[in-house]
Amino acid sequence: MNKHSTTFADAIRSRTALAGLGTGDLVRKTKIPASTYRKRMRDGTWTRDELIALNRVIHFEADDMKLFFEGK
């Protein structure tokens, strides 16, 4: 059986849920267009400004950012 590795997208989903937000709430609060958010969740090509906006709302931890920098 294959074990699913945690990805940065998983970390975003988890942090969003922990903040008590849905995806719509997150894109509204970060001002990241929904289409851009969906694309970034698929391909992981977040910009610095997008990461800052996300962090202001869902407050990443060091392990979350480690996933980002490891490209997972």
Side-chain angles (χ1 to χ4, degrees):
M1 184 165 137
N2 291 335
K3 183 177 177 185
H4 174 76
S5 295
T6 302
T7 65
F8 186 61
D10 294 329
I12 292 172
R13 287 184 199 96
S14 175
R15 293 277 161 220
T16 301
L18 287 171
L21 302 172
T23 300
D25 300 318
L26 182 62
V27 298
R28 198 169 24 264
K29 287 179 179 248
T30 60
K31 296 183 173 50
I32 297 171
S35 60
T36 300
Y37 174 83
R38 288 189 301 271
K39 180 182 183 297
R40 302 286 192 255
M41 289 296 280
R42 280 191 311 272
D43 66 19
T45 60
W46 298 96
T47 66
R48 179 180 180 270
D49 289 340
E50 290 165 347
L51 291 172
I52 290 168
L54 287 168
N55 188 55
R56 285 185 181 137
V57 177
I58 59 175
H59 312 290
F60 292 119
E61 292 188 358
D63 287 343
D64 302 326
M65 294 313 297
K66 184 178 176 185
L67 290 170
F68 173 75
F69 288 110
E70 289 177 352
K72 294 184 178 179

